[in-house]
Amino acid sequence: MKILIALLFACSLFAQQTPLQKSNFTKLTSQSELTEFIKEVDSNSDLIKAEILTKSVEGRELFVVYFSKGEFGADENKIKVLIFAQQHGNEQSGKEGALLLINELLKSENQYLFDKIDFVLVPQMNPDGSDKNQRRNGNGMDLNRNHLILTEPETKALHKLFDKYLFEVTMDVHEYWPFGEEWKKLGFRRNFDVTVGAITNINISEKIRNLSYQKYLPFIFNFIQSKGYTAFHYLPGGPVGIDYLRYSTFDINDGRQSFGVQNTLSFIQEGMNGENYSTDNIEKRATSQMIGMLGLIKFSYDNKDEIKKIVAEERRKLIKNKIDDEIAIQLDHFSSGSKLELKLLSYYSGKDTIVTVDDFRSIVKATYSVKRPEAYLIPKQLTELKQWMDNHNLFYSDAKLENCDKVEEYFIDSINTVDFERDTIVNPYVSVNDVTDKINLSEYYFLPVNQIKNNMIVIALEPKSMLGLVTYKQFEHLLKKGEKYPILRIVN
């Protein structure tokens, strides 16, 4: 009798439909429907536990769903995986695919995955934007450009979650929109169900980058294709023949690189959006996104030991500051000299056509580097910097110096501009002065770089960094022509 009851319970649980499925794929899931669905699956399964991660700007709840066969994070032999979706509110298939993924992972044939994995899913990062089908959050902020400055409750909460568990694998789920007028004039458009991008910032461990490109990307393309969908690299830029194509940005302010720069195996997944940013082809869009997310989890299971070993080793180097003396703070995309044969959909024939891309910039190189300091001195009077350090959970203390320490101060001689992926940002010319004997240490905090956010700290605080705080409106006042840069460097 007990066995029969258990079987009936299992069947009812696994037959449960997401709100999108209940509408026969005609209506996007609302915030209230998402809430009801998550609470229902949580109450019906011992495998998962749902919590409120935070509330959005407009007071909507962001949910986090934990999958574990025991206490989450307690078993150090397991690999910890984080997937988060719909940072952009008008990219709906990530959220819908994430809810489909919950049902998929509750199937009996997939529960073996949690013998080796503790998994966390945030199905909807931007409920304010989602309800309005708009890209930005309630403050008008693009959340996927907020991971460095961390001004928004949604991104703050996500990074707090990451800092608590230090996930070895992460994925940020988006959609790309291939229907632009410039592509239509060309006569072709991108037509992959799912595109995937790996980390591109060259300050991230080479071992992790190699694992991403040489092992994961071939695996996930084959996995998605084996399920009947198409997949390829995520390639911004173009149209072909008008502008170059490249792998995704090397900036560390997005969901992928902000975790990747902490030597995490981190990815972005972009499904193809609908032309009206709504329900166009939503069943295929949501299902293919779910397949891609499932593939990441299966890859993490199959390669658990290798991933954990590499990530642990490379993170120890950050914490002990046993990494390259030079850190790249200005970078650019370059061609390897090879052309790309890219499959595109022809507007004329309605069929896939191979197009040769002559200007494919697949390599990222440093154009300006600095010597990595031991620490920075942060002026206590700049409370916005203290808040930034706290939001990033950085370790800092009252200022101190060792006998061999030297304190350097930048002087901003002039301010020019530099091109950054077709955007124009500040590029100061600086000189460096020794001020070791001229400062009052009581006026500063001591921020060492020997912590897991080592790379992020240096990239954020250097005045010539094209990825730094000074490129944001909230911190542009730190950079003034003919004045001293207030953040000091400690070298020895």
Side-chain angles (χ1 to χ4, degrees), residues 411-456:
F411 185 83
I412 310 302
D413 297 309
S414 62
I415 300 176
N416 208 325
T417 59
V418 64
D419 178 80
F420 166 45
E421 297 176 348
R422 296 294 186 254
D423 194 8
T424 300
I425 60 171
V426 292
N427 180 29
Y429 292 92
V430 302
S431 51
V432 182
N433 302 304
D434 184 343
V435 294
T436 307
D437 299 323
K438 300 177 183 179
I439 61 169
N440 182 354
L441 287 177
S442 65
E443 298 176 354
Y444 294 89
Y445 294 114
F446 177 84
L447 175 62
V449 301
N450 60 330
Q451 41 192 314
I452 194 170
K453 299 189 181 183
N454 188 322
N455 283 325
M456 186 276 290

Side-chain angles (χ1 to χ4, degrees), residues 57-232:
V57 172
E58 297 178 355
R60 295 179 176 89
E61 295 172 338
L62 276 71
F63 285 92
V64 55
V65 184
Y66 299 86
F67 290 73
S68 181
K69 286 187 175 179
E71 179 186 351
F72 189 92
D75 187 344
E76 294 184 358
N77 290 319
K78 289 185 178 181
I79 188 169
K80 296 183 288 294
V81 180
L82 167 66
I83 295 177
F84 50 102
Q86 207 188 17
Q87 287 199 79
H88 294 146
N90 59 354
E91 297 173 5
Q92 299 281 356
S93 73
K95 169 192 66 182
E96 304 295 356
L99 300 184
L100 293 175
L101 179 66
I102 292 175
N103 276 352
E104 188 69 22
L105 293 175
L106 289 175
K107 292 179 179 178
S108 57
E109 63 264 33
N110 286 325
Q111 293 197 16
Y112 75 93
L113 294 165
F114 304 105
D115 294 337
K116 296 182 180 181
I117 295 175
D118 275 350
F119 172 56
V120 167
L121 177 66
V122 182
Q124 183 184 55
M125 280 290 296
N126 186 1
D128 295 348
S130 179
D131 271 13
K132 302 167 189 173
N133 204 30
Q134 295 177 359
R135 180 181 179 92
R136 296 171 182 264
N137 78 340
N139 277 337
M141 176 63 72
D142 185 332
L143 293 180
N144 204 37
R145 306 293 184 270
N146 193 249
H147 291 263
L148 179 62
I149 57 175
L150 288 187
T151 61
E152 304 306 298
E154 300 92 340
T155 49
K156 288 178 186 176
L158 183 69
H159 280 261
K160 185 176 181 180
L161 176 68
F162 180 88
D163 293 341
K164 182 177 180 179
Y165 293 110
L166 295 178
F167 298 89
E168 288 95 352
V169 181
T170 66
M171 177 181 279
D172 180 14
V173 182
H174 288 262
E175 287 188 300
Y176 74 98
W177 194 74
F179 305 102
E181 289 300 319
E182 291 300 318
W183 281 91
K184 287 182 180 179
K185 292 177 185 177
L186 176 69
F188 302 95
R189 69 166 172 83
R190 290 164 288 187
N191 194 41
F192 295 102
D193 296 319
V194 177
T195 63
V196 184
I199 42 185
T200 52
N201 190 294
I202 60 174
N203 296 297
I204 298 169
S205 158
E206 185 177 9
K207 289 184 179 180
I208 292 177
R209 285 183 281 134
N210 287 341
L211 180 60
S212 302
Y213 286 90
Q214 296 172 12
K215 201 162 186 177
Y216 178 71
L217 291 182
F219 164 84
I220 196 62
F221 295 155
N222 288 333
F223 182 81
I224 293 171
Q225 290 162 8
S226 73
K227 304 298 182 182
Y229 299 92
T230 56
F232 198 61

